[in-house]
Amino acid sequence: MTTELTAMTDDLMSALGLDRPETGDDAVLPFTLDKLDTRGRAVRLGDALDTILNRHNYPAPVARLLGEAVVLAALIGSSLKFEGRFIMQTQTDGPVKLIVVDFDAPDGLRGYARFDHDALLKFAEEGKTRPADLLGKGHLAMTIDQGPNTERYQGIVALEGASLEEVAHTYFMQSEQIPTMVRLAVAEFQQKGDHRPHWRAGGVLIQHLPEHGMSHVADLPGDGNFENTDEADGWSEAKALLTTLEDVELADPDLSPERLLFRLYHETGVRVFSPMPMVERCTCSADRIEDMLSTSFTAEDREEMAVDGEIEVVCEFCSTAYHFNPHQFEAKH
């Protein structure tokens, strides 16, 4: 009897995707809530996010906002089923003028923000540090680039809402027609012996499945039929449970995504799949920049760019500096 019970337990753990070590940092964990007709992804970012945010020494409000954008890009970009890029970009009139996050499928993340230091300081003095305050009015664009000889797919929505979570909800309803809910959290943690705090983040994205089943539901772009606006009971329950999630739980280094999902959905059941590793990776290179300088600028342009006989190009994502002789392009071509 004990042997049979052990076998049944092993089969159940395998069916739920839990017959393996728990997922750690810098990974996306896909899951389904079969009884609630819902699928989703959970992400936990540690060293990858810390590297992105500390590379530019952003003020804390900017770092948190960029961190949320990186988490959101990881949640959405990890749904791509092909090699390519998912690019998320905000352009606004607020203190944080620009945010760009690149997800280089299947696992690469990079991002940066531009901000007005004086405007940010003024807003901070007035206590205006919420994402809506920092972003102001503008738009959010999400672009899928499948590479050469393919047409880009892009969705654009106005930045209306108190957070990137609300903006994401608007994007999915307007551009994808997929009922979606997102939770994002970014925090600093410091452990004993560390010389500085480390940035961490977590997020969960859930999406409702139509009645005809998961295999027919598109990831990005959406092509499902969601004309029926009556909200299903399962979807309502999935959302209600997700709203109980605290920010500290999302970013807690001692709470794995599996335990987090079980805490939320143990009564209805959750099935997890293999985690997808995430890494901080910039795609810049000397060859790419040299090609850009050669094809996009004239010899006169390159002469004007040169300082002390040298062209310097600094990558805005990773801050790597590349140096070129303005005359090397003439010799090459």
Side-chain angles (χ1 to χ4, degrees), residues 254-269:
D254 298 320
L255 184 62
S256 71
E258 287 87 353
R259 292 180 183 271
L260 178 70
L261 293 171
F262 180 77
R263 181 181 293 184
L264 284 175
Y265 298 112
H266 62 278
E267 292 186 359
T268 58

Side-chain angles (χ1 to χ4, degrees), residues 134-155:
L134 299 180
L135 291 172
K137 296 180 180 179
H139 68 266
L140 170 73
M142 298 191 185
T143 305
I144 297 175
D145 184 356
Q146 299 185 51
N149 305 317
T150 61
E151 185 176 352
R152 283 189 169 194
Y153 167 82
Q154 186 175 74

Side-chain angles (χ1 to χ4, degrees), residues 91-92 136-141 155-161 163 166-168 170-171 174-175:
Q91 286 188 308
T92 75
K137 296 180 180 179
H139 68 266
L140 170 73
I156 300 176
V157 294
L159 277 169
E160 296 176 351
S163 65
E166 293 185 13
V167 175
T170 301
Y171 168 80
Q174 291 186 1
S175 298

Side-chain angles (χ1 to χ4, degrees), residues 150-215:
T150 61
E151 185 176 352
R152 283 189 169 194
Y153 167 82
Q154 186 175 74
I156 300 176
V157 294
L159 277 169
E160 296 176 351
S163 65
L164 283 179
E165 291 177 358
E166 293 185 13
V167 175
H169 299 161
T170 301
Y171 168 80
F172 276 100
M173 288 307 298
Q174 291 186 1
S175 298
E176 309 300 335
Q177 294 83 52
I178 301 178
T180 302
M181 184 175 181
V182 177
R183 282 286 285 111
L184 308 170
V186 178
E188 285 186 289
F189 281 79
Q190 186 164 12
Q191 296 181 343
K192 187 176 181 180
D194 282 350
H195 67 283
R196 66 168 178 83
H198 292 265
W199 287 104
R200 301 181 50 79
V204 177
L205 178 150
I206 57 174
Q207 295 180 317
H208 177 54
L209 302 175
E211 293 182 359
H212 52 63
M214 182 175 179
S215 62

